[in-house]
Amino acid sequence: MAGYVRDVLAAEASVVLAAGGREGLARAAAVRPDLVVTDLMMAGGTGEDLVRGMRQRPDLDGVPIVVLTAKADDGLRVQLLRSGAQDYVMKPFSPEELRARVMGLVASKRAADFLRRELDSQTRDLGTLVVEVATRRRELEAALDATRLARDEADRASRVKSNFLALVSHELRTPITLLQLQLERLARDPSPSDVQRAALPRLIAASRRLAAMVEALLEHSRAASGRIALRHEPVLLRELAEDAVEEERVQADAKGLALTVTAPEDLPPISTDPRFVRVVLSNLVSNAVKFTDAGSVAVAVLPVDGGQRIVVQDTGPGIPAADQSRIFEAFEQRDPVHMKHVPGVGLGLALVREICAALGARVELRSSPGVGSSFAVTVPHLAGDRPELSLDHPIASA
């Protein structure tokens, strides 16, 4: 997400990245930026910590702050604005919305800085100053109008997309279920014809593929609308990883891939939500097997400070650097549609990103074309009571 925000703003601003609130405060003190964009949930200091820290420093008190959040919580937004944030952006957002809001606030800050410098230096006459102030005001009003328009358009587009996906997915589930039931009845026929015997495996595989696509659309629709709540309990990540690997064992064996799981025997349970960790593992392992034609897929679970780390490594074709941010967006895929030969609708990694954000986890990708890819997810240990969170929390860091 950090890289994605940088790419969105790079055409109009110079962007410096930081991982976590504490590092962000140090970078802001060194760079003296025109504006700070921060996630709410991050390892290494939250967005709220960063807002408070900046507002306690005279040299950073006037720097505008935009908070990225996926919580549809009016109380939280009021609290952020009261603590010193100038604006918030709800996830998912469009690049145009973020760019318009950020550049509007930057224009406002520069106008205020200009006015402050002019008043301090007193080098220009009052008439010239009034003209300059009026010009800056018009620029600011235009930027604010563009920001409001972009926000309204993004909200409308997001609602239309979510409603459409939910409607289409629900309408497809019934005929697909009926189709699968009829195929199962045919498969139990004690004396199938030669045509049935040849066609049934392909028909059953195709119906399962279609059902999986529809289920992915439904999951994405639920995530985007924030209708899924997060809970945590003691979980053995090693067992979840073993289950995910066994689900893909048949597909891996058919391609001759070595599919392995490694984890310390004494690895303790971690407090997190097993439902969503299972979805993350299932998507990462399934993708690795799907895109790897030869070699191996290895899953490892390791202890790290404050949590545990899941690594899924493959010997597939790899992902070019230019595509590594794009593939985490919904409906984006590695290959163009007219060239793709692997089934899927491009929602697996988008769900991984959204779920990791909700869990407060950090997802990292390392990949080189011709060498393979490694997806690593660091899951934090959630100790003590924690309020339920909506599934579309912002990603922790990149």
Side-chain angles (χ1 to χ4, degrees):
M1 179 60 72
Y4 175 66
V5 170
R6 176 192 57 203
D7 294 343
V8 168
L9 301 178
E12 300 186 60
S14 174
V15 182
V16 177
L17 302 184
R22 289 188 291 274
E23 182 180 335
L25 183 60
R27 292 279 178 91
V31 175
R32 302 290 180 84
D34 287 317
L35 181 138
V36 169
V37 180
T38 179
D39 239 325
L40 186 60
M41 300 295 293
M42 298 181 290
T46 67
E48 292 179 88
D49 295 335
L50 176 60
V51 173
R52 283 194 296 269
M54 290 181 61
R55 293 305 173 244
Q56 291 171 359
R57 296 181 57 117
D59 55 333
L60 299 176
D61 185 47
V63 176
I65 303 173
V66 176
V67 179
L68 306 180
T69 177
K71 290 187 68 176
D73 184 340
D74 292 337
L76 173 64
R77 295 196 288 267
V78 171
Q79 178 183 341
L80 288 170
L81 295 173
R82 285 178 175 172
S83 63
Q86 271 63 45
D87 200 359
Y88 61 87
V89 177
M90 293 291 296
K91 292 185 175 183
F93 55 83
S94 68
E96 292 76 13
E97 176 191 10
L98 180 64
R99 192 180 300 114
R101 293 205 198 190
V102 166
M103 298 316 298
L105 286 171
V106 167
S108 176
K109 178 182 182 296
R110 288 178 174 173
D113 289 345
F114 167 80
L115 180 59
R116 190 178 300 109
R117 287 194 302 269
E118 292 304 309
L119 291 175
D120 290 342
S121 63
Q122 297 182 0
T123 56
R124 297 185 181 182
D125 60 46
L126 184 57
T128 303
L129 181 58
V130 168
V131 172
E132 291 285 355
V133 170
T135 301
R136 298 294 179 179
R137 180 179 178 180
R138 286 193 297 272
E139 292 176 355
L140 176 58
E141 289 174 347
L144 289 175
D145 288 341
T147 299
R148 295 189 190 100
L149 180 61
R151 178 177 179 176
D152 292 343
E153 184 63 22
D155 289 344
R156 186 192 66 80
S158 179
R159 287 194 301 271
V160 169
K161 181 201 72 173
S162 297
N163 292 339
F164 174 75
L165 289 180
L167 176 63
V168 170
S169 301
H170 279 292
E171 289 299 318
L172 286 175
R173 287 182 94 180
T174 299
I176 290 173
T177 302
L178 179 61
L179 175 63
Q180 290 179 312
L181 289 173
Q182 296 303 318
L183 289 173
E184 290 172 5
R185 288 182 61 188
L186 289 174
R188 292 195 296 269
D189 188 343
S191 55
S193 67
D194 292 340
V195 174
Q196 286 178 324
R197 190 179 296 108
L200 272 174
R202 292 195 298 271
L203 290 173
I204 291 173
S207 68
R208 288 175 179 169
R209 172 182 165 189
L210 185 57
M213 289 183 180
V214 171
E215 197 60 36
L217 285 170
L218 277 173
E219 288 294 338
H220 179 72
S221 177
R222 294 189 192 107
S225 62
R227 294 198 303 267
I228 303 180
L230 179 70
R231 63 173 183 264
H232 60 272
E233 60 189 66
V235 179
L236 286 171
L237 292 190
R238 181 184 69 253
E239 293 183 354
L240 294 185
E242 290 170 350
D243 291 343
V245 163
E246 287 308 311
E247 289 176 1
E248 299 299 322
R249 181 72 63 187
V250 174
Q251 287 78 3
D253 290 345
K255 301 173 77 171
L257 301 177
L259 185 56
T260 60
V261 180
T262 58
E265 289 294 332
D266 59 348
L267 194 66
I270 185 172
S271 181
T272 188
D273 193 315
R275 301 171 301 163
F276 300 146
V277 175
R278 187 177 290 109
V279 174
V280 169
L281 275 162
S282 177
N283 277 285
L284 291 181
V285 176
S286 174
N287 267 11
V289 172
K290 185 190 302 180
F291 289 100
T292 302
D293 293 328
S296 64
V297 174
V299 182
V301 184
L302 306 168
V304 294
D305 289 341
Q308 295 178 16
R309 187 175 179 84
I310 302 166
V311 181
V312 180
Q313 188 164 4
D314 64 58
T315 57
I319 303 167
D323 295 331
Q324 291 182 15
S325 296
R326 179 178 61 83
I327 62 170
F328 283 95
E329 297 302 315
F331 305 105
E332 291 285 351
Q333 303 186 59
R334 188 174 63 92
D335 296 324
V337 173
H338 67 281
M339 295 176 58
K340 74 189 296 291
H341 63 282
V342 178
V345 292
L347 287 176
L349 290 178
L351 282 172
V352 167
R353 184 191 68 177
E354 292 166 356
I355 290 172
C356 285
L359 294 172
R362 183 172 71 254
V363 59
E364 302 167 60
L365 167 61
R366 291 184 174 85
S367 185
S368 299
V371 176
S373 302
S374 173
F375 288 85
V377 176
T378 302
V379 182
H381 181 81
L382 306 179
D385 293 332
R386 178 184 172 108
E388 288 192 341
L389 307 173
S390 67
L391 182 60
D392 55 336
H393 257 295
I395 196 162
S397 63

